[in-house]
Amino acid sequence: MWGSRSPETARRNLLIVIGIAIAIVIYSFGIDQTDIDLRETQDETRQTSVTRALRELLSPDIFDQDSESQFAAVSMQLRCEDDGAASEITAPSGSEPTVVVVTGCVSSGDVITVEGFNFRPNTPAVLRWIPPNGESRPLTPVGTTDIVFDVDSDGHFATQVTVPRIRGEDEAHQIQAEARWGVGLPFASDTTHLVIEKMIETVLTALMATTLAIPIAFAISFLAARNLMKQVSVPAGNVFVGVILLPVGWILGTMLYGAVGQFGVELGSGELFNGATAEAAAPAVLLLLASVAGGVKRRQNVAGTGISVRLRVFGLNVLMVAVGIFVFGVLGGLALTASEVLDSGFLATFGNALGTIGDIIELTIVGVGGLVGAVMLSSFSANLVQHTLKDLRGIESHVAGFVLGGVMGAVILGLVALFGTQGALLGLFAPVVTAILGAQAAAALYTYVFNVDKRAFNVTKTQATGRLIASIVGAVIMFVIAAEMLDLSRALVQGRLPAEDTFRFFGVAFPVRSFIGKAMLMGAILSGIMGALSGVHESIPVGMTIYNGSRTILNAMRSIEPLIMGIVFVIWVGVGPFAGVLALGLHSIAALGKLYSEQIENIDNGPLEAIQSTGATRLQTIIYGVVPQIIPPYIAFTLYRWDINVRMSTIIGFVGGGGIGFILQQQINLLQYRDAGVAMLAIAIVVSVLDYMSATIRERII
Amino acid sequence: MAGVTPPLPSFVCERFMLKIEHLTKIYDNGVKALDDVSFEVPDGQFVAIIGLSGSGKSTLLRCINRLIEPTDGRILWNDIDITSANDEELRLIRRRIGMIFQQFNLVKRSKVITNVLAGRLGYTNQFMSFINHFSKEDYEDALAKLERVGIADKADNRADELSGGQQQRVGIARALMQDPELMLADEPVASLDPATSHSVMKYLELLNKEDGISILCSLHFLSLARTYSDRVIALKDGRIEFDGPAQDIDEVRFKEIYGEDAVRVEIE
Ligand SMILES: Nc1ncnc2c1ncn2[C@@H]1O[C@H](COP(=O)(O)OP(=O)(O)O)[C@@H](O)[C@H]1O
Ligand SMILES: [Mg+2]
């Protein structure tokens, strides 16, 4: 029998057996670790409490009603001479509500029968023990857990209660009966009001978080779309120059555009008119606007690739962007002004909102300026030097590659290391980036030494393996060296920031910290090697690098739960809905960024090709070819995300993020399950209504 | 680029606006789609490129405006080397080379007029296109181009509301906005019925005859090539199998190009 089986069947069977064995082990361990114990669910006291909690949750305190009561009391005799002589109950003659006690003389612990007459028929009633000091205690009828009982249809009740422990037996104690019934229409309870208020806060939290995420996710989605980024490859020389000039552009951008933007904010907010510069400013601005308008008209017809033409075009672009930023700043300033004017009554809400928008613009305008400056300067200079670099041949190209590549590596690792000085764990990035550079340098060396063809289809399997091994070895070696040089154990083990000593190289002191200096040195060497090997002409898949980078960041961000982000933001901006907005917003950026970029990857590439072939720039291709195609799915996914955010914002309050979760948690902690029931009902209603709405709208769009 | 070409000096036989030299394209997966292709196109010629599907027609056309990067060889256009142009230079070259496609490649959700205006992007400042701004002349020009291909009344329709033939005419109008000297057409009528095919081909013929635009048009059917082109280049497995006037393709040549089993199909 065994001999007749093929070895494949035997191996498959063996695999199945091993698989089952592993599954058994995993599940046994799982049952053990998760404390699964069904006896717990059978426990009597736990069942009573869960029944009570569920019953209260299912009787939410939604409505309230005005009520009327009838009171009646009977005095209790506690010290008796003729012990045990029970008096007969006789129905009172009047029509007033009356309480009668069967036993005339009682002591603590006795079960007595209390009877009531002439109460309002079919009405809930309670009994209370009122001692001389007036601190009444409710009396629970014997044999029940509910203190409320019903008056019968004749207005009579007879209820057995236990006499509580008594102090002050010489004085007058009373048993009081109260029958209470509602009058008029029911109205929303205080809990309901609170819940509605918090629910609005919750929905708005979700709205703000989604809104915050949309523009950022929109921008990122283009960088994380494979089909757009795949084509982007740039000659090495351009990459080197572009990266080197990023920080320079940032600094210049914050200086020029930041200043222009702030000037705009000041102008708009009227701060400027306090100073004397106001008269000079207005004409200057008008002049600027006019010259730009003239320039734009001329720009339409500018053609050619000469340096002077490029410089002129660049100058005009710089001006136009400056005007854009200026206008943006003025708008921000005007928003601030408006918020000061609209500070009362109904309009105050708008004023407040405008003020916030103005604040945001005022706070971010320098950063925005820096960003724009960095992108503009680096792309322009990269294009410009292309002219010079183009004519470099042979060894010149490799020397230029070595120099420019080296500077680029220094800049990159310098920035990474600077980032690393902000937190101990962030210091890890420097060795990691060094290792990545090491891997690439090693692969480049391998390719050079063994003369591997650059084109993928010409690379043999052995060569590919060899290159892979080379890059792994390079990465490991460089990681170890960097970890050693940068004193990584200090950050990892002791959790301490890098030391602040000065960087020295061959006895010369540099004005940077040694941590940063060493990192820059390693970056320069590795990147210099790569630059020397590649020269300045080899085309570098910059697009795929950006694609991989942004995908990694998005995935990492998505893996952090909003509740955990919420904890951090609560520490940062305090308890309240703002923390919730930030936490959900950040998570939404990651989630939407991924969804959006997948939509870009799904578009029809034909129109892109067509628009590209007309001589359009990349930006124009995206605006005319990509954007019209992605608008509908973007709207659909944004609605979907809002829907999810509403769901999440209902619980973000559990960690202090505001909204309904915040009061739900309080109610649960205080065992106010009837109130919690209202909150839960509200969540269920709002979530399902929004779910339905967004599904309907999405269906129509797609 | 009016129809009149200046008289050439006697020592120059013809002015070649497009020269393809030893063009080779090997895709990343190792497929050799073009194998040492060389030919020259004089100003104002209508060239049909025929061949079985997979013979490299699309690859050839896309290499000319570098939608695909050639692996080897040179493409010279009015003495400019397209193959070594940098991004900016390539843009300036591309805007004088129109292209139309089998699938029309319009932005379906955009208006017809917007699709046509997109042909002008190479001449527009990209910060202006950010706010969707085109000059008034461009608008008038776009309407004139639509008028020319006979669908001015559709300017405000969404592109996907048009029939296939109409969409291809929008494609032609878009290419015309570029003020092209050369038009690349990649099987422009392969998705159209015979009657519509002829109407689209007639527009291309018109551009060639009236505006003097040189045309490189890949076609499935020899009959279309015969009707409209001055010259036929036949590709087979990425190599030029035939280059000459359409009348010279006899039964034997036909079988060489399309294979032994091929039967002539005519399109009226
Ligand atoms: N992007 C690509 N990647 C790999 N191979 C391709 C690609 N595009 C086309 N090919 C191959 O190149 C050859 C020529 O294709 P193509 O130029 O599209 O021919 P045609 O347009 O004549 O049908 C075919 O064998 C095709 O499979
Ligand atoms: Mg094709």
Side-chain angles (χ1 to χ4, degrees):
Chain A
M1 275 305 282
W2 285 95
S4 68
R5 291 195 183 170
S6 70
E8 252 160 64
T9 324
R11 204 167 59 212
R12 212 182 55 207
N13 289 348
L14 186 67
L15 278 179
I16 291 175
V17 170
I18 293 176
I20 292 175
I22 291 177
I24 289 175
V25 170
I26 290 178
Y27 280 103
S28 323
F29 194 57
I31 289 174
D32 185 45
Q33 286 292 301
T34 50
D35 290 341
I36 290 181
D37 181 4
L38 286 182
R39 266 167 307 175
E40 203 69 63
T41 64
Q42 306 288 318
D43 187 284
E44 189 109 353
T45 49
R46 287 186 192 276
Q47 279 188 342
T48 5
S49 36
V50 78
T51 315
R52 208 193 105 226
L54 278 179
R55 195 173 286 158
E56 288 192 27
L57 280 176
L58 291 175
S59 334
D61 178 22
I62 304 174
F63 297 111
D64 237 346
Q65 205 176 15
D66 284 329
S67 61
E68 283 177 9
S69 307
Q70 288 173 329
F71 293 97
V74 59
S75 290
M76 299 304 296
Q77 216 181 340
L78 294 168
R79 280 273 158 82
C80 311
E81 275 82 56
D82 50 345
D83 194 273
S87 55
E88 283 298 305
I89 296 251
T90 45
S93 49
S95 60
E96 287 295 299
T98 314
V99 191
V100 183
V101 180
V102 178
T103 320
C105 182
V106 295
S107 55
S108 193
D110 288 353
V111 173
I112 55 172
T113 303
V114 183
E115 284 196 49
F117 299 91
N118 301 328
F119 280 86
R120 190 169 178 274
N122 303 322
T123 308
V126 289
L127 290 176
R128 297 190 191 91
W129 184 275
I130 305 184
N133 64 8
E135 283 170 11
S136 70
R137 283 176 268 177
L139 294 173
T140 312
V142 172
T144 64
T145 52
D146 191 6
I147 64 165
V148 182
F149 55 90
D150 282 320
V151 178
D152 70 14
S153 52
D154 298 328
H156 169 257
F157 64 82
T159 305
Q160 287 194 314
V161 295
T162 313
V163 176
R165 288 176 39 154
I166 303 158
R167 256 181 282 126
E169 293 187 340
D170 295 327
E171 292 166 84
H173 291 250
Q174 280 189 322
I175 284 182
Q176 183 196 53
E178 179 188 356
R180 184 198 282 262
W181 63 96
V183 292
L185 291 172
F187 51 85
S189 68
D190 287 349
T191 312
T192 309
H193 281 295
L194 182 66
V195 163
I196 288 175
E197 189 184 305
K198 287 292 170 185
M199 204 65 225
I200 292 173
E201 190 179 296
T202 306
V203 174
L204 289 179
T205 300
L207 179 69
M208 296 316 291
T210 317
T211 314
L212 181 83
I214 292 171
I216 304 174
F218 185 84
I220 295 178
S221 65
F222 293 96
L223 305 180
R226 177 181 271 272
N227 56 341
L228 295 186
M229 301 312 283
K230 202 176 57 195
Q231 328 164 355
V232 183
S233 57
V234 183
N238 295 27
V239 177
F240 297 155
V241 173
V243 174
I244 292 169
L245 286 177
L246 273 178
V248 179
W250 168 273
I251 294 168
L252 292 180
T254 51
M255 274 160 50
L256 172 68
Y257 291 146
V260 169
Q262 274 180 332
F263 178 70
V265 172
E266 282 171 21
L267 198 69
S269 64
E271 270 171 55
L272 208 64
F273 294 102
N274 303 331
T277 37
E279 288 81 31
V285 169
L286 283 180
L287 205 68
L288 188 70
L289 280 172
S291 67
V292 167
V296 170
K297 261 247 123 8
R298 250 176 294 136
R299 165 67 179 90
Q300 307 267 359
N301 304 316
V302 174
T305 53
I307 299 271
S308 68
V309 175
R310 283 150 170 270
L311 273 175
R312 233 170 52 220
V313 172
F314 179 66
L316 284 172
N317 287 346
V318 168
L319 269 183
M320 277 171 53
V321 173
V323 171
I325 295 215
F326 172 74
V327 172
F328 186 57
V330 171
L331 289 178
L334 287 177
L336 287 176
T337 312
S339 76
E340 275 166 34
V341 178
L342 309 173
D343 63 349
S344 65
F346 172 65
L347 290 174
T349 310
F350 295 108
N352 218 332
L354 283 173
T356 309
I357 293 172
D359 278 341
I360 292 176
I361 291 179
E362 193 178 11
L363 281 175
T364 55
I365 200 152
V366 174
V368 170
L371 214 59
V372 174
V375 171
M376 281 183 78
L377 182 72
S378 107
S379 64
F380 170 70
S381 325
N383 270 329
L384 199 66
V385 294
Q386 168 75 13
H387 260 283
T388 329
L389 297 179
K390 202 172 167 181
D391 301 327
L392 298 181
R393 290 277 163 265
I395 189 76
E396 290 172 1
S397 154
H398 292 276
V399 171
F402 175 69
V403 174
L404 292 175
V407 178
M408 179 188 80
V411 166
I412 291 179
L413 265 166
L415 290 177
V416 170
L418 190 67
F419 184 58
T421 57
Q422 304 304 306
L425 201 58
L426 301 181
L428 251 181
F429 277 108
V432 168
V433 175
T434 314
I436 293 173
L437 283 183
Q440 289 182 338
L445 267 175
Y446 182 90
T447 306
Y448 176 74
V449 172
F450 293 95
N451 210 4
V452 181
D453 199 297
K454 295 266 159 53
R455 289 167 301 196
F457 57 87
N458 267 345
V459 178
T460 65
K461 217 162 183 177
T462 339
Q463 286 172 329
T465 320
R467 202 169 50 185
L468 183 68
I469 292 173
S471 51
I472 292 174
V473 170
V476 171
I477 291 178
M478 279 326 293
F479 188 85
V480 171
I481 293 180
E484 189 56 38
M485 271 179 80
L486 298 176
D487 204 359
L488 191 64
S489 63
R490 181 186 164 102
L492 265 187
V493 182
Q494 303 172 16
R496 289 177 57 80
L497 295 177
E500 296 199 14
D501 53 337
T502 323
F503 176 58
R504 291 180 173 280
F505 191 55
F506 290 116
V508 187
F510 285 84
V512 288
R513 290 163 68 163
S514 90
F515 179 75
I516 297 176
K518 283 177 190 164
M520 287 174 79
L521 187 63
M522 282 186 286
I525 293 170
L526 292 174
S527 199
I529 293 175
M530 280 190 279
L533 290 176
S534 71
V536 290
H537 301 307
E538 192 177 309
S539 119
I540 306 245
V542 180
M544 284 314 281
T545 312
I546 297 177
Y547 165 82
N548 287 324
S550 43
R551 273 287 157 115
T552 311
I553 294 174
L554 287 183
N555 287 339
M557 259 164 70
R558 235 156 25 92
S559 66
I560 305 174
E561 277 297 310
L563 279 183
I564 293 168
M565 291 186 181
I567 294 172
V568 176
F569 282 115
V570 164
I571 297 169
W572 191 357
V573 300
V575 170
F578 183 42
V581 168
L582 290 177
L584 292 176
L586 199 58
H587 193 256
S588 300
I589 289 174
L592 279 180
K594 179 151 185 293
L595 289 176
Y596 283 175
S597 57
E598 274 163 8
Q599 289 316 301
I600 297 184
E601 288 175 353
N602 279 338
I603 61 173
D604 176 7
N605 271 318
L608 295 199
E609 212 176 29
I611 290 176
Q612 222 180 346
S613 74
T614 67
T617 63
R618 276 200 187 103
L619 188 65
Q620 289 171 327
T621 311
I622 286 176
I623 297 170
Y624 283 84
V626 181
V627 172
Q629 296 194 58
I630 55 178
I631 293 291
Y634 271 33
I635 293 177
F637 278 112
T638 310
L639 279 171
Y640 174 60
R641 189 68 220 170
W642 187 42
D643 193 26
I644 293 179
N645 276 346
V646 169
R647 234 172 270 238
M648 286 198 178
S649 63
T650 58
I651 52 166
I652 197 82
F654 276 52
V655 295
I660 195 142
F662 195 58
I663 59 164
L664 181 58
Q665 194 201 22
Q666 280 180 349
Q667 290 161 340
I668 290 173
N669 285 347
L670 296 175
L671 306 182
Q672 295 167 337
Y673 292 122
R674 289 199 62 203
D675 294 347
V678 181
M680 287 183 182
L681 190 66
I683 291 173
I685 290 172
V686 168
V687 166
S688 47
V689 166
L690 278 176
D691 192 57
Y692 175 75
M693 263 168 48
S694 84
T696 319
I697 300 176
R698 266 184 287 143
E699 252 165 46
R700 283 209 197 156
I701 291 174
I702 296 188
Chain B
M1 274 286 104
V4 210
T5 12
L8 297 166
S10 55
F11 56 87
V12 179
C13 314
E14 257 176 320
R15 210 183 123 214
F16 295 116
M17 74 153 3
L18 186 67
K19 273 192 204 173
I20 313 249
E21 299 175 350
H22 309 292
L23 188 66
T24 300
K25 171 65 190 178
I26 306 174
Y27 282 106
D28 284 344
N29 57 7
V31 173
K32 201 173 207 175
L34 290 177
D35 187 1
D36 195 18
V37 170
S38 302
F39 62 92
E40 290 159 348
V41 182
D43 238 355
Q45 202 171 49
F46 193 130
V47 183
I49 298 172
I50 61 170
L52 284 173
S53 96
S55 58
K57 304 184 293 293
S58 302
T59 307
L60 171 61
L61 291 173
R62 282 171 160 72
C63 278
I64 292 175
N65 61 4
R66 275 188 40 201
L67 286 177
I68 292 176
E69 290 293 336
T71 310
D72 231 326
R74 284 209 306 171
I75 301 168
L76 295 173
W77 185 63
N78 294 334
D79 295 329
I80 305 169
D81 185 354
I82 295 183
T83 28
S84 73
N86 67 24
D87 277 5
E88 190 60 23
E89 289 160 352
L90 180 60
R91 252 173 29 73
L92 298 180
I93 293 166
R94 274 181 182 163
R95 68 182 192 184
R96 301 307 295 273
I97 303 180
M99 186 159 191
I100 58 176
F101 304 81
Q102 177 182 352
Q103 300 302 335
F104 324 131
N105 287 357
L106 304 181
V107 181
K108 297 197 178 54
R109 300 183 56 89
S110 293
K111 280 200 271 182
V112 166
I113 185 86
T114 315
N115 270 292
V116 177
L117 280 167
R120 204 63 196 166
L121 285 171
Y123 297 85
T124 317
N125 185 316
Q126 57 175 338
F127 291 98
M128 283 288 128
S129 23
F130 215 92
I131 51 173
N132 237 316
H133 176 86
F134 284 98
S135 71
K136 207 167 152 236
E137 297 92 73
D138 285 345
Y139 266 101
E140 282 161 7
D141 199 21
L143 283 174
K145 296 282 153 46
L146 279 174
E147 188 85 55
R148 205 165 161 206
V149 294
I151 42 173
D153 54 324
K154 303 282 189 201
D156 283 326
N157 288 44
R158 258 173 61 154
D160 55 4
E161 291 166 1
L162 270 56
S163 70
Q166 289 171 329
Q167 288 195 32
Q168 192 56 290
R169 285 188 269 165
V170 176
I172 294 177
R174 173 172 66 191
L176 282 179
M177 288 300 284
Q178 294 172 240
D179 200 5
E181 290 173 47
L182 170 67
M183 182 82 100
L184 308 172
D186 189 4
E187 301 197 17
V189 295
S191 315
L192 303 175
D193 59 72
T196 327
S197 292
H198 277 293
S199 95
V200 166
M201 288 308 291
K202 288 229 167 67
Y203 280 110
L204 287 182
E205 190 178 33
L206 207 66
L207 301 183
N208 180 244
K209 297 276 177 308
E210 281 185 3
D211 304 24
I213 299 175
S214 313
I215 293 182
L216 242 66
C217 176
S218 67
L219 290 169
H220 244 73
F221 290 103
L222 185 58
S223 60
L224 283 175
R226 196 164 272 159
T227 317
Y228 294 99
S229 70
D230 304 328
R231 171 183 173 192
V232 172
I233 293 177
L235 288 178
K236 190 179 179 189
D237 298 332
R239 289 172 167 276
I240 293 187
E241 182 72 30
F242 171 85
D243 184 352
Q247 305 84 273
D248 290 2
I249 301 181
D250 53 24
E251 203 57 39
V252 180
R253 286 230 164 90
F254 180 82
K255 294 244 189 249
E256 275 169 10
I257 298 167
Y258 286 103
E260 283 304 321
D261 309 334
V263 187
R264 278 195 186 209
V265 187
E266 295 294 322
I267 173 172
E268 288 86 42

